[in-house]
Amino acid sequence: WIVLIMIKLSTVLIVTLHCSFYIQSSAQGYVYPGSHWVGNTPVLQFLLKCGLVKQKMNRLSTDDIYPDSDIQTGIQKLQELFELEITGEENFDVKKIVEKNNCGAFRV
């Protein structure tokens, strides 16, 4: 009986360890409607890189998730710097600037 119990405990331990590899402590937080994850939003990556959106440093899983309002404000700052119409929208002109990926002299 002891051998059977040891085998079952070993199996449970192996399964538990295997599953724990799929749980990441630093996994991204929940991206809710009206928010964007840095990892799949090029305009947000650019705005953060250039200092047009303040980077979160709370050490939380949601530090890489930003609300629409932060992105809109960052785009407005970008449009002001390039003397474009200030809409806060990711339009063609904003996409062209982001594609160049160069903050240049305007880094904030």
Side-chain angles (χ1 to χ4, degrees):
W1 292 101
I2 293 177
V3 173
L4 286 175
I5 292 173
M6 294 299 287
I7 291 172
K8 286 185 180 190
L9 285 175
S10 298
T11 304
V12 169
L13 180 62
I14 290 170
V15 170
T16 303
L17 285 173
H18 178 73
C19 291
S20 70
F21 288 113
Y22 294 102
I23 301 171
Q24 298 177 9
S25 62
S26 63
Q28 72 183 42
Y30 175 70
V31 179
Y32 51 90
S35 68
H36 300 274
W37 177 52
V38 173
N40 67 358
T41 312
V43 70
L44 177 55
Q45 293 170 10
F46 181 77
L47 295 171
L48 288 165
K49 172 184 166 183
C50 298
L52 298 169
V53 169
K54 185 178 182 207
Q55 187 171 4
K56 296 178 184 179
M57 301 278 218
N58 301 319
R59 300 179 56 108
L60 300 173
S61 65
T62 55
D63 279 358
D64 56 357
I65 298 172
Y66 290 80
D68 286 341
S69 58
D70 286 359
I71 297 171
Q72 185 177 23
T73 301
I75 290 173
Q76 289 171 343
K77 291 176 184 177
L78 179 69
Q79 290 168 330
E80 184 178 355
L81 286 168
F82 280 85
E83 298 178 356
L84 300 171
E85 180 184 359
I86 299 173
T87 63
E89 299 292 322
E90 185 181 351
N91 58 25
F92 180 75
D93 291 328
V94 170
K95 288 180 183 180
K96 281 179 23 184
I97 295 166
V98 170
E99 285 174 6
K100 290 180 183 176
N101 199 27
N102 185 2
C103 300
F106 72 87
R107 177 173 254 157
V108 180

